Amino acid sequence: MWAVLFRHFIAVGLLALLAACTPSTPKQQNDTSEPGTPATESFAWPAALNPFGDGYPKAGDPCRRLGESALTVNLLDDSAILVGCPGAPADSAAAALVTAGGKVVGEAQGVTMISIPQGDANAGMAEAAANPAPNQPQ
């Protein structure tokens, strides 16, 4: 009788061990993102756009500021910030920046490039030239 129970116990143990070793298919996760919002966590920023920062306009946002590179050199302006948002111009991140006053200036490698005006970089220059400081020779 003990031998039968022992064999039964061994058989159940082996079945449990085999069940634990069988690969299971991972559960599919539901997409909880907003429609029109790209999955930025999985987005690989192209180095060719020279992205920097941890979000624009604030940390954690999906867009990034873009630095000077072969793809951006003709889009940079001293009176604007060049920002890139993953996805198309109609996606929510890019559309929000355009609604706030930005202008779509290009698209490259899955990124919409937007110029955010910062005001006239030369404001006051003409006035300063017309009225030099008293200590400066003319």
Side-chain angles (χ1 to χ4, degrees), residues 13-131:
L14 286 175
L15 285 175
L17 182 61
L18 285 174
C21 293
T22 304
S24 62
T25 57
K27 293 181 181 177
Q28 189 172 7
Q29 295 181 345
N30 293 333
D31 182 11
T32 58
S33 64
E34 245 181 80
T37 303
T40 56
E41 291 176 7
S42 63
F43 183 77
W45 282 93
L49 294 174
N50 201 11
F52 64 94
D54 57 358
Y56 184 87
K58 61 183 186 295
D61 285 345
C63 302
R64 300 284 182 269
R65 291 182 66 170
L66 302 178
E68 187 171 349
S69 72
L71 291 174
T72 64
V73 69
N74 294 325
L75 304 173
L76 294 169
D77 182 351
D78 62 347
S79 63
I81 297 172
L82 185 61
V83 176
C85 295
D91 289 342
S92 62
L97 292 179
V98 170
T99 300
K103 178 183 176 190
V104 174
V105 292
E107 293 179 65
Q109 300 183 359
V111 175
T112 298
M113 294 179 278
I114 303 163
S115 182
I116 310 291
Q118 298 298 300
D120 185 2
N122 297 318
M125 294 298 288
E127 184 179 314
N131 300 316

Side-chain angles (χ1 to χ4, degrees), residues 1-8:
M1 171 137 167
W2 288 103
V4 173
L5 285 175
F6 183 72
R7 276 189 252 146
H8 191 303

